[in-house]
Amino acid sequence: MNTSQHPPISKKAFEALASKRSSHSVSIYVPMYKTGKEQNEHLAQANLRRCINEAHSDLVKYALDEEEINNYLKPITDLISEVDLWRNPADGLAVFLNKDGLNYYLLPIAFESRTYVADHFYLKPLLPMYHNDGVYYLLELSGDYVKLYKCSRYSCKELSIEDIAPDQLEKAVGFDYKSKMLQFRSGQATHRAGSFHGHGEGKDDRYEEMIVFFRAIDKGINQLISDKKAPLVLACSAPLHSIYKEANSYPNLFEKYLGGDPEFRDKKEMHQQSWELMKEHFQEIEKSKLNLFTELYHTSKISYTPSEIIPAALKGKIDTLFVRKGPDLFGLYNKENDTVRFDESKKLTNVSLLNFAAMHTFMQKGKVYELEPNDMPVQEQPLSAIFRY
């Protein structure tokens, strides 16, 4: 189950696009319009047509003739009349064309219109899908219901835990429990975990049963989740949350949780609510990186000089890269003498250096944040970086 209508491009598909090298590769980004005047007037289609014309003009510079160019761009041109594409729009449309054919994606980003022709695809506009959207896990719990989801800002996919964890209390404790669990499911139990001891007949038993059940689930969770840095969010009643915290050994159990019985709640709504809990957590990571840049400002561990950052990106030296939104930076990196040439505009023989630095950083497991100019660590510079070494 995936609750996102227009999920992001998977990391695997993204990496496949990034690895392609082919002359005359065309990248196009256009905003789409879900409602209102813009949709009624087909402005998204008009934007795409304008981008196709720009790609046509760029391809002329490669000495291709008119017929070659029209035939080459035809798969993109055909999208304009594809009714279903525009009937169910996303926030943005990303289109990639090379000699192997066409790939296009409806995505949850309202792109600025952009056309780029080179021997590679221009992928920097896609990177916001992968920063501040970090992976987290959502565990839905009740006495006879257990579901685990791997989530991010744009997706929520159910994981199978049947083979490694019990999905019902009776499977963990081995006897009938339903009458004992009634108060949990109805929300009548308001005791904290510690209050189950010595406060009436049967409460110790109920507490011990739940501890056994949750420890079995916890064991399965730890077995299934390899990246223990990913937060685990619970969706359950308050009493069950208190008990699960005692049974838990997962190192990154998130303090906040979604209350109530999750079994019959809308899954898309659950995903949205869980993301609202997690959003601030992932934004704090970005803030911490900006603070770290400031702390390291007078050291060799940071740079805001593009001629230093671009070679460092290629070498995998960058831990965190901040890229300015807005005007691009064009030029060429010469690997032989480790120098960067800067140009005033896009040419046949150069590339987007911002895309170059961002892609090499991201593909080598660095973090990339695209920021408004006023939010950049050094506002007058298009790139800033924290180095790994």
Side-chain angles (χ1 to χ4, degrees):
M1 189 248 340
N2 193 311
T3 63
S4 299
Q5 187 176 10
H6 296 295
I9 300 173
S10 70
K11 289 279 183 72
K12 185 177 180 180
F14 181 89
E15 290 169 359
L17 288 170
S19 68
K20 291 182 183 295
R21 292 293 180 272
S22 176
S23 298
H24 316 140
S25 296
V26 177
S27 306
I28 290 176
Y29 296 88
V30 292
M32 301 182 84
Y33 305 98
K34 296 181 178 181
T35 57
K37 177 182 176 182
E38 294 87 353
Q39 188 182 48
N40 293 335
E41 296 182 356
H42 306 295
L43 288 189
Q45 293 93 317
N47 284 335
L48 180 56
R49 188 177 289 107
R50 185 166 55 253
C51 288
I52 293 170
N53 291 337
E54 291 173 1
H56 188 287
S57 297
D58 287 341
L59 290 168
V60 168
K61 300 172 187 175
Y62 288 88
L64 300 179
D65 65 40
E66 192 76 12
E67 185 178 0
E68 280 183 291
I69 295 172
N70 288 335
N71 288 337
Y72 183 63
L73 294 175
K74 187 177 185 301
I76 306 179
T77 305
D78 288 345
L79 293 178
I80 295 173
S81 57
E82 192 169 306
V83 176
D84 288 344
L85 175 66
W86 308 102
R87 183 177 290 157
N88 185 30
D91 294 299
L93 173 68
V95 180
F96 306 103
L97 176 72
N98 65 8
K99 63 180 178 60
D100 296 325
L102 176 72
N103 289 286
Y104 68 91
Y105 302 89
L106 296 169
L107 296 168
I109 300 177
F111 302 114
E112 293 183 3
S113 293
R114 181 182 292 272
T115 306
Y116 186 87
V117 179
D119 68 349
H120 57 277
F121 291 131
Y122 184 83
L123 300 176
K124 182 173 74 73
L126 301 179
L127 291 179
M129 291 191 300
Y130 309 107
H131 79 250
N132 283 349
D133 77 323
V135 170
Y136 66 97
Y137 293 86
L138 174 64
L139 178 62
E140 298 183 348
L141 285 176
S142 67
D144 57 357
Y145 175 83
V146 180
K147 295 286 184 184
L148 180 67
Y149 299 89
K150 183 177 182 179
C151 303
S152 70
R153 178 179 183 177
Y154 301 112
S155 65
C156 189
K157 181 180 180 182
E158 183 177 351
L159 301 179
S160 175
I161 61 171
E162 294 175 359
D163 296 334
I164 58 173
D167 60 357
Q168 294 182 0
L169 177 61
E170 60 186 351
K171 293 180 181 178
V173 302
F175 53 85
D176 183 28
Y177 67 100
K178 291 184 179 178
S179 62
K180 298 178 181 181
M181 281 309 302
L182 182 60
Q183 62 174 313
F184 288 106
R185 297 303 306 277
S186 65
Q188 294 172 8
T190 57
H191 306 284
R192 296 184 61 82
S195 70
F196 281 89
H197 293 281
H199 287 275
E201 186 178 354
K203 289 181 179 176
D204 275 344
D205 289 342
R206 286 195 295 277
Y207 169 76
E208 293 300 334
E209 289 166 12
M210 296 307 299
I211 283 289
V212 170
F213 181 31
F214 287 165
R215 281 178 180 160
I217 294 171
D218 173 68
K219 183 179 179 181
I221 294 292
N222 277 283
Q223 186 178 330
L224 185 65
I225 300 177
S226 56
D227 178 12
K228 300 296 192 291
K229 293 181 181 178
L232 175 65
V233 183
L234 299 185
C236 60
S237 67
L240 297 192
H241 179 253
S242 296
I243 300 173
Y244 192 90
K245 282 174 64 178
E246 289 200 18
N248 175 69
S249 66
Y250 184 78
N252 204 2
L253 181 66
F254 199 61
E255 185 63 28
K256 296 179 181 178
Y257 70 102
L258 296 178
D261 188 340
E263 183 172 1
F264 302 107
R265 292 179 62 182
D266 178 77
K267 298 308 169 190
K268 187 174 183 179
E269 179 184 321
M270 290 285 286
H271 174 222
Q272 291 171 343
Q273 290 180 356
S274 67
W275 172 248
E276 286 302 312
L277 286 183
M278 295 308 308
K279 179 169 63 175
E280 188 174 330
H281 168 77
F282 290 113
Q283 288 172 340
E284 285 300 319
I285 296 174
E286 179 181 328
K287 290 177 186 176
S288 71
K289 292 293 186 179
L290 286 166
N291 290 336
L292 181 60
F293 184 96
T294 302
E295 291 171 16
L296 297 173
Y297 188 81
H298 295 292
T299 75
S300 61
K301 290 293 293 291
I302 67 97
S303 177
Y304 50 84
T305 307
S307 59
E308 184 178 9
I309 292 171
I310 288 157
L314 181 67
K315 298 168 187 174
K317 187 179 177 181
I318 296 178
D319 171 84
T320 305
L321 181 70
F322 304 101
V323 184
R324 180 192 63 196
K325 290 183 180 179
D328 216 319
L329 183 67
F330 298 103
L332 201 63
Y333 171 64
N334 187 324
K335 192 174 181 180
E336 290 183 8
N337 58 21
D338 200 30
T339 59
V340 183
R341 184 192 84 209
F342 297 99
D343 300 325
E344 291 185 1
S345 61
K346 179 74 177 75
K347 301 178 180 179
L348 295 184
T349 56
N350 68 14
V351 300
S352 160
L353 293 173
L354 300 189
N355 184 71
F356 180 94
M359 291 307 302
H360 280 288
T361 299
F362 183 80
M363 296 297 285
Q364 295 177 87
K365 311 302 182 186
K367 292 185 178 296
V368 180
Y369 296 104
E370 191 176 37
L371 304 178
E372 296 293 340
N374 289 341
D375 296 328
M376 288 289 290
V378 181
Q379 292 184 9
E380 62 271 20
Q381 294 293 343
L383 293 170
S384 294
I386 301 171
F387 294 140
R388 288 176 167 142
Y389 55 89

